[in-house]
Amino acid sequence: MELFKGQSLLEFTERFKTDLDCEEYLASIKWEKGYCCRKCGHTKYQVRKDFSRTCNICGDTESPTAGTLFHRLKFGKVSGNVYITIDLDAFDPSIAPSTGTPEPGGLAYYHLAEKQTFIKSN
């Protein structure tokens, strides 16, 4: 996944702000070499708003997550307790200088405060 190589946590969260951003990316990876209907083998399709593909011949609709580790995963709000962990390597070396893989320009404390406020309000 070259897209993520050298990408900071902030860049990652900026790229994948919404569920549709994630589904669009999964669709681009899944059908990178073209679409082929899983039921009839036809290659012509319509793209849905959620980046699913619907076969023009048999009408079967396949989501970007079908057959992947995200299959049946419901994107969206999470209910119940959520635990967030942050690897110290994500911090700028001025904050956590002794990490094994420093991230120049990485997180600062105020980034965490912003995310915490966002999570609490949603």
Side-chain angles (χ1 to χ4, degrees):
M1 302 270 164
E2 288 297 313
L3 172 69
F4 306 118
K5 193 168 187 146
Q7 194 173 62
S8 74
L9 178 62
L10 295 175
E11 292 166 329
F12 182 86
T13 56
E14 184 66 25
R15 167 67 176 90
F16 298 104
K17 286 182 181 177
T18 67
D19 296 346
L20 281 178
D21 292 338
C22 298
E23 290 169 345
E24 180 181 22
Y25 176 72
L26 289 173
S28 72
I29 296 296
K30 181 173 185 170
W31 293 300
E32 182 175 35
K33 295 179 181 172
Y35 169 82
C36 182
C37 178
R38 61 187 170 179
K39 295 218 174 168
C40 72
H42 192 68
T43 57
K44 302 291 184 192
Y45 60 92
Q46 299 295 315
V47 179
R48 301 289 177 211
K49 290 179 185 177
D50 65 354
F51 300 98
S52 295
R53 306 291 196 259
T54 299
C55 177
N56 285 349
I57 298 297
C58 72
D60 181 58
T61 300
E62 185 175 349
S63 77
T65 60
T68 71
L69 83 119
F70 300 106
H71 186 66
R72 295 196 175 149
L73 174 72
K74 299 294 181 198
F75 290 105
K77 289 194 173 190
V78 176
S79 60
N81 293 332
V82 175
Y83 299 92
I84 299 173
T85 62
I86 298 172
D87 190 332
L88 284 177
D89 290 347
F91 285 100
D92 185 82
S94 65
I95 294 171
S98 61
T99 62
T101 52
E103 181 66 40
L107 292 175
Y109 291 121
Y110 73 89
H111 292 123
L112 294 180
E114 287 174 354
K115 297 295 182 198
Q116 182 180 13
T117 302
F118 173 79
I119 290 168
K120 282 182 179 180
S121 66
N122 290 303

